[in-house]
Amino acid sequence: MRASARRVLPRSRPFATAGLAAVALATLSLAACSGSGKGEGVRQEGAASSQPSQQGPDALPSESSGSGAPQGAHASQGKPAGEKTGGKNRPSGATPHGTQRAGATHDPYAPENRVPCTADNTEVTATPVSRPLNHMLLTVTNTGSKTCDLTGYPVVKFEGAQSVPPVMENTKPQAVTSLPPGGKGYAGVVLSAGDGSGGEGHTAQSLEIGFQGSDKMAEAALRAKGVHIDNSLRVTYWVTDSGDALS
């Protein structure tokens, strides 16, 4: 019985050794796995911690460069439409430094921009009319570049007339008649009396018109057959309306 027991004991030792080896191998495998897990955990944490460092100092230039475009957009939106550096693309009608255009301040009726109407800066026409009877209309056009004033009444000189006809005081306007360049003024001339009270009269073939304050006369052409005048000859003041000149 003791001899058989001795033979069994040597056989059981290899199994025990193999079991110990397996346990050791399992322990090493577990340690290796846990070590690899810790390494991965360290690498993941390192990657996660490296991201804020890249977004920190390195991200500042990108933010400032990215914000430059919106700032430029806001700057352009802050200015009124049409205004840019140097005053370019400024709306029409606006001038720099708050000044006005020369045309906006030019007053053609200002005293420094006005001159008297004379034979040199006007053109005169004489037109007989059918109504009122025995009347003629004088039309003066300003041919100059400045406003001219028609003061008083026309100096009318017919061919063969002994004197200058008087003015009818009831036709005097409230203000001096002023003509801008191209403007027109009017005066009426009563040629003769319809009832013969003006005398025998005669036919005039030519007419000259003068202006108050000037000695120069302007020639006004008459129709070919001339006009009949008598001693009742008289004129109106210069006015701005042809109807007033003939009323």
Side-chain angles (χ1 to χ4, degrees):
M1 293 297 292
R2 290 179 181 178
S4 61
R6 287 178 183 176
R7 285 193 297 267
V8 171
L9 288 173
R11 291 180 182 176
S12 62
R13 288 178 183 177
F15 289 103
T17 304
L20 292 174
V23 170
L25 182 60
T27 303
L28 291 174
S29 300
L30 180 61
C33 292
S34 62
S36 62
K38 290 180 179 180
E40 291 177 356
V42 171
R43 286 195 297 270
Q44 290 176 357
E45 291 177 358
S49 61
S50 64
Q51 291 179 358
S53 64
Q54 293 178 358
Q55 294 178 354
D58 296 338
L60 289 177
S62 62
E63 290 177 358
S64 60
S65 62
S67 61
Q71 288 178 359
H74 291 312
S76 63
Q77 292 176 0
K79 293 183 179 181
E83 293 187 3
K84 290 186 178 180
T85 304
K88 295 181 180 179
N89 295 340
R90 198 176 296 271
S92 67
T95 54
H97 308 298
T99 58
Q100 294 181 341
R101 291 175 295 180
T105 59
H106 179 73
D107 181 7
Y109 292 96
E112 63 271 17
N113 297 323
R114 297 164 69 143
V115 295
C117 294
T118 65
D120 294 325
N121 59 10
T122 60
E123 181 180 86
V124 184
T125 59
T127 307
V129 295
S130 58
R131 292 286 185 276
L133 190 63
N134 302 329
H135 278 61
M136 184 171 66
L137 179 66
L138 300 179
T139 303
V140 176
T141 303
N142 181 0
T143 59
S145 59
K146 293 185 176 182
T147 297
C148 72
D149 294 329
L150 277 172
T151 57
Y153 52 91
V155 178
V156 176
K157 186 177 181 180
F158 281 99
E159 177 191 13
Q162 300 298 319
S163 62
V164 174
V167 65
M168 295 181 284
E169 290 295 338
N170 62 335
T171 63
K172 187 175 183 178
Q174 295 182 352
V176 174
T177 299
S178 298
L179 306 180
K184 298 180 183 297
Y186 307 92
V189 180
V190 179
L191 299 173
S192 60
D195 57 2
S197 59
E200 185 176 347
H202 70 280
T203 299
Q205 300 292 336
S206 65
L207 172 64
E208 291 181 329
I209 303 296
F211 300 86
Q212 302 290 329
S214 176
D215 295 332
K216 190 173 183 178
M217 306 291 286
E219 183 177 354
L222 296 176
R223 58 188 180 182
K225 64 179 182 180
V227 294
H228 180 78
I229 60 174
D230 63 17
N231 294 334
S232 61
L233 188 66
R234 56 195 186 274
V235 298
T236 70
Y237 280 91
W238 291 114
V239 293
T240 58
D241 185 84
S242 60
D244 294 338
L246 297 174
S247 59

